[in-house]
Amino acid sequence: MLFRSFNDDIVDSGDRTLTVNATNGTVTFGGALAAVGNPMGAVTVSAVTANLGGSIYTDNNSNVDFTGTDTVTLTAAATIDTDAVGNNTNAGDILFKTTGTVNGAYDLDLVATADGGGTDGAVQIGSVDTKSLDVDTTGITTIYGNITADDDVTLTGATDVNLAANVTILGDGSTNVLLDGGDVAGDFDLAIDAGTGAVTLDAIDVNKLTVTATGTATIGDNITADEGMDFG
């Protein structure tokens, strides 16, 4: 088994790319990869497990690609921002393995917005189990697995969300779920269990919708469900 470890922050001075291959082992990032004002080029990680101990900042249409990694474990709060400088370039994509998992008791923010006027990138996630999840992009956000969060799931900044499988969004007793960025669509079932938390929905077009919450459920647009909907 192969282990590759980067114990400290990785500082880049000129949009250099980083590719790490440990396809039968573990990759550990002990700190951040680049910084907001000094981002790097594309980041590609292939491993059985990748431990992420900080944020990742790229620019100039540079992707962050974990599609070759089975499990990404957060060991600190992390922001992945693919247009960190905010110039006139496009934002890169943020890609996780469709059958993979992102987990950890920390906040995860995925930001693929082109702050300076370019085109937003896409976001692709499999299963997620973190303290919170926040996604920001007007590009396509595709969800392939279930989402579990202790505090909140915020897709307010994700305006085009596609379900690629049946998806359950599960809170930890009291979790706010905000799917109010625009459109959530797909020929699959969507189940939301926020416990005592609040649920906010905008336009929804799915096969079946189930919402379980004792908190407030707010609906801001039309809901279409081929096989019905249940607000328990």
Side-chain angles (χ1 to χ4, degrees):
M1 183 175 291
L2 181 64
F3 297 89
R4 298 186 186 277
S5 297
F6 304 85
N7 296 323
D8 299 313
D9 292 351
I10 297 176
V11 180
D12 180 58
S13 59
D15 294 336
R16 293 178 177 85
T17 63
L18 175 66
T19 300
V20 183
N21 290 313
T23 51
N24 295 314
T26 299
V27 174
T28 297
F29 298 103
L33 279 67
V36 173
N38 192 21
M40 62 193 310
V43 175
T44 304
V45 180
S46 299
V48 175
T49 301
N51 299 313
L52 184 59
S55 298
I56 302 175
Y57 299 100
T58 68
D59 200 50
N60 292 326
N61 200 27
S62 297
N63 299 339
V64 175
D65 187 347
F66 283 95
T67 57
T69 299
D70 295 333
T71 302
V72 177
T73 298
L74 304 184
T75 59
T79 295
I80 300 178
D81 188 340
T82 56
D83 189 31
V85 172
N87 51 26
N88 290 322
T89 61
N90 298 333
D93 299 334
I94 301 173
L95 307 171
F96 292 95
K97 190 172 184 176
T98 59
T99 57
T101 300
V102 182
N103 61 38
Y106 297 94
D107 299 330
L108 176 62
D109 294 343
L110 306 178
V111 184
T113 55
D115 301 322
T119 301
D120 287 6
V123 173
Q124 172 184 290
I125 56 177
S127 297
V128 177
D129 185 354
T130 55
K131 183 179 180 183
S132 70
L133 174 66
D134 191 329
V135 180
D136 290 286
T137 180
T138 63
I140 297 174
T141 298
T142 308
I143 303 174
Y144 287 84
N146 298 328
I147 299 173
T148 302
D150 298 335
D151 291 346
D152 59 81
V153 176
T154 304
L155 273 64
T156 302
T159 62
D160 187 359
V161 178
N162 291 342
L163 305 184
N166 295 332
V167 172
T168 297
I169 300 177
L170 179 64
D172 185 18
S174 179
T175 301
N176 295 324
V177 178
L178 305 176
L179 303 183
D180 56 348
D183 178 55
V184 178
D187 192 22
F188 297 95
D189 298 344
L190 174 61
I192 301 169
D193 187 346
T196 60
V199 176
T200 303
L201 305 176
D202 207 351
I204 305 288
D205 186 355
V206 295
N207 183 57
K208 182 179 180 180
L209 174 66
T210 304
V211 177
T212 304
T214 58
T216 302
T218 303
I219 300 173
D221 208 330
N222 296 330
I223 296 177
T224 302
D226 297 339
E227 296 188 7
M229 59 191 77
D230 182 5
F231 286 80

